[in-house]
Amino acid sequence: MTRRTWLAIVLLLAAGAGVGWWWNARRPAPIAWQGYAEADFVKVGPTQQGLLTAVLVARGEQVQAGTLLLTQDDADDRAARDQAAQMLAQAEQTLGNLLQGGKPTEIAQAEANLADARAVLARATADQARGEAQLPMGGVSRQTVDELRADRLSAQAKLEAAQAALMQARAPMGRDGEILAQRASVAAAHAALGMAEWRLAQRRVIAPVGGRVADVMARAGETMAAGAPVVSLLPPGNIFVRFFVPEPLFATIHPGDRVALACDGCAANLSARISFVSPQAEYTPPLIYSESSKAKLVFIVEARPPAEQAEGLNPGEPVEVRPVGVPAS
């Protein structure tokens, strides 16, 4: 093979390599958006101002929902609870007294008086009947019969009085209005006790959700204001990825779309669904808007992976996001 032939072959190979390089260079770069892991922290603190007596968890610890996180000094609330309990007992006792009738001995005396009045009435009724039977025969005078009738009427009145006295002895001591007012007092005392018990229970703060203790912002001995955060919790389901999409590709993403995630040291096949798309754009550098700077517009997008996958992400960690089906760069 001549030297000229070899030179032609080399030129052809060089030309082929150049064409291949040009072809690869003109292919569009794989779509990949840069972002980072972010989280919605659950900040837990006391509902009332008070002195912290203990913080029972440490940073990085895993806790379950219902785990006791911290306690506050509760001496004042215990005293208020005990006072409310005593006031309730007093109100119930007063109501019980108003609902009770007379003493057993008073009721027994009223029953005996009623029995005596019945006996007197029975005798007076019999005397009147005998007198009225003898009056036509002249055995008794009309005046005597009138006295017998008066005695029976008196015995009848005494019987009714004895019946009323027995009913009064058995009836509640309080009047209807007094009993109604005291029932309201008992209900108010119940409410006061419930409030005192709630305030006492709030001195022991438990975890509302399970997750990792991301931070502890206070220590025992500090006086905390109501609502001031003491423990920051990070539930796995609260971890998401925030990334930035350039304006030319913004129309290709929608809430609910699935995206693939990749990061150093992360498990393979991570994915998430877009949960938020910013309605407003922003510039990466501070520029005045123009057609030439349009490509620098980016939109903030958030995507949330499943809780079991989110556990492998740490807030602040760089993450590469790709549309599903697009290979990694």
Side-chain angles (χ1 to χ4, degrees):
M1 187 176 293
T2 64
R3 182 178 179 183
R4 185 174 296 179
T5 304
W6 280 109
L7 180 60
I9 293 174
V10 170
L11 291 175
L12 288 174
L13 292 175
V19 170
W21 174 85
W22 174 81
W23 178 261
N24 289 328
R26 69 185 296 270
R27 292 173 58 190
I31 299 175
W33 303 307
Q34 297 303 313
Y36 56 91
E38 187 57 272
D40 293 324
F41 295 93
V42 178
K43 296 180 179 179
V44 184
T47 60
Q48 308 168 82
Q49 180 178 351
L51 177 69
L52 282 179
T53 56
V55 178
L56 304 173
V57 292
R59 186 183 302 173
E61 182 179 346
Q62 290 286 339
V63 298
Q64 301 295 326
T67 301
L68 182 63
L69 301 178
L70 59 101
T71 60
Q72 288 180 291
D73 178 59
D74 60 1
D76 183 65
D77 291 306
R78 286 186 181 277
R81 189 272 314 272
D82 294 342
Q83 181 183 16
Q86 292 295 330
M87 293 182 68
L88 174 60
Q90 181 180 359
E92 290 178 337
Q93 185 176 6
T94 301
L95 177 62
N97 290 336
L98 292 175
L99 293 174
Q100 285 184 354
K103 297 179 181 179
T105 54
E106 294 174 345
I107 295 176
Q109 182 179 0
E111 290 174 344
N113 292 338
L114 177 60
D116 179 67
R118 285 174 177 162
V120 171
L121 176 60
R123 185 183 61 186
T125 301
D127 290 344
Q128 178 185 348
R130 284 193 296 268
E132 290 177 346
Q134 295 178 8
L135 179 61
M137 297 180 295
V140 294
S141 64
R142 181 168 294 277
Q143 180 180 359
T144 301
V145 173
D146 291 340
E147 291 177 353
L148 292 174
R149 288 174 178 171
D151 290 342
R152 190 194 65 79
L153 293 175
S154 177
Q156 179 68 37
K158 290 179 179 179
L159 174 63
E160 293 174 356
Q163 289 175 336
L166 178 58
M167 291 177 61
Q168 180 65 28
R170 289 175 175 172
M173 295 178 62
R175 296 177 179 148
D176 292 342
E178 293 174 335
I179 294 175
L180 184 62
Q182 192 57 36
R183 288 188 189 278
S185 297
V186 171
H190 269 293
L193 178 59
M195 182 181 298
E197 290 177 339
W198 178 85
R199 291 177 64 89
L200 178 60
Q202 293 302 301
R203 296 301 184 182
R204 295 171 57 86
V205 180
I206 63 174
V209 293
R212 185 170 73 245
V213 178
D215 199 3
V216 177
M217 288 83 81
R219 298 294 183 271
E222 298 185 45
T223 299
M224 305 302 298
V230 176
V231 176
S232 178
L233 299 177
L234 178 55
N238 287 22
I239 298 176
F240 60 95
V241 174
R242 179 175 291 159
F243 58 100
F244 304 90
V245 176
E247 190 273 341
L249 298 177
F250 178 69
T252 65
I253 61 172
H254 309 86
D257 288 351
R258 191 162 161 262
V259 293
L261 308 178
C263 58
D264 295 337
C266 294
N269 300 322
L270 288 181
S271 65
R273 291 199 177 274
I274 295 176
S275 60
F276 170 76
V277 177
S278 173
Q280 295 180 342
E282 60 184 46
Y283 290 101
T284 45
L287 297 174
I288 298 176
Y289 176 77
S290 66
E291 287 297 325
S292 61
S293 63
K294 184 177 180 180
K296 296 182 181 294
L297 282 173
V298 294
F299 289 81
I300 295 178
V301 181
E302 295 177 358
R304 295 185 179 269
E308 63 273 10
Q309 294 186 358
E311 292 180 341
L313 299 175
N314 293 306
E317 180 179 10
V319 178
E320 184 182 74
V321 183
R322 306 183 311 277
V324 170
V326 176
S329 56

